[in-house]
Amino acid sequence: MNITIICVGKIKEKYLKSAIDEYTKRLSRYCKLNVVELGDEKTPDNASEKEEILIKEKEGESILKSIKDNMFVIALELKGDMISSVELSNYMRDLGIRGDSNIAFVIGGSLGLSKAVLERANYKLCFSKMTFPHQLFRVMLLEQVYRGFRIISGEPYHK
């Protein structure tokens, strides 16, 4: 299975880079992982709604250029479905069984995802109603993908 993480924003913090490197190493047993980091647009203080939409659209254009036609796209979106770790692992397993073995998870910038990206998505997933920094969220996503592969493989995992 091929897993691509498309994310807006660069990771600067060493502790987050270290965690990402660890999960990348662990995932190498289960899949081919590709992380695509895209630049984020600067959001001015007190940006208007129109300015925020334009920023999301510009970031969205970069995201859409990174998505290949054969990818099953899972957008990380507050209005998406909230599922358990086991349900995510079953979902990933079922995608592989039906031939969707190129999965792209998309993490937007601080303002979220553009309408065009959400329309391209095959599935919308919400981890929580809470707000997380998108840099930290990348680590959380990698951990859940790793956990999913361990569940699929029948290996122990922390419940």
Side-chain angles (χ1 to χ4, degrees), residues 3-158:
I3 302 290
T4 301
I5 311 290
I6 301 170
C7 40
V8 174
K10 307 281 186 210
I11 301 291
K12 298 174 187 102
E13 298 83 358
K14 285 184 182 179
Y15 70 97
L16 292 175
K17 285 182 180 181
S18 179
I20 289 166
D21 290 345
E22 178 63 27
Y23 282 110
T24 298
K25 184 175 90 177
R26 290 181 186 191
L27 279 164
S28 67
R29 287 185 53 207
Y30 302 101
C31 66
K32 182 180 178 204
L33 177 68
N34 183 32
V35 177
V36 178
E37 278 189 340
L38 304 170
D40 56 342
E41 297 295 316
K42 300 298 175 222
T43 305
D45 291 337
N46 301 316
S48 69
E49 186 176 333
K50 185 176 180 178
E51 287 174 308
E52 289 185 356
I53 290 170
L54 290 173
I55 290 167
K56 286 196 298 187
E57 286 175 352
K58 191 165 184 183
E59 290 175 347
E61 289 171 12
S62 295
I63 291 169
L64 291 170
K65 287 178 187 173
S66 301
I67 297 172
K68 296 182 175 98
D69 289 342
N70 68 342
M71 288 179 162
F72 186 94
V73 177
I74 300 176
L76 285 300
E77 161 64 14
L78 280 172
K79 295 177 184 163
D81 295 337
M82 281 202 293
I83 59 177
S84 70
S85 297
V86 171
E87 289 169 321
L88 178 60
S89 71
N90 290 337
Y91 194 82
M92 290 171 27
R93 182 200 63 219
D94 292 347
L95 286 174
I97 289 170
R98 72 176 204 218
D100 286 316
S101 59
N102 290 312
I103 301 171
F105 290 91
V106 180
I107 304 171
S110 60
L111 299 175
L113 295 168
S114 70
K115 183 177 177 185
V117 172
L118 292 173
E119 288 173 355
R120 169 58 180 90
N122 301 97
Y123 185 69
K124 295 172 191 76
L125 177 63
C126 176
F127 271 33
S128 171
K129 296 295 181 191
M130 294 182 197
T131 303
F132 299 101
H134 56 275
Q135 299 92 335
L136 177 61
F137 193 78
R138 191 181 318 177
V139 176
M140 295 168 57
L141 174 61
L142 287 168
E143 190 281 332
Q144 285 299 300
V145 171
Y146 171 69
R147 183 180 299 262
F149 278 114
R150 288 191 56 90
I151 293 168
I152 290 167
S153 299
E155 297 171 4
Y157 69 98
H158 188 335

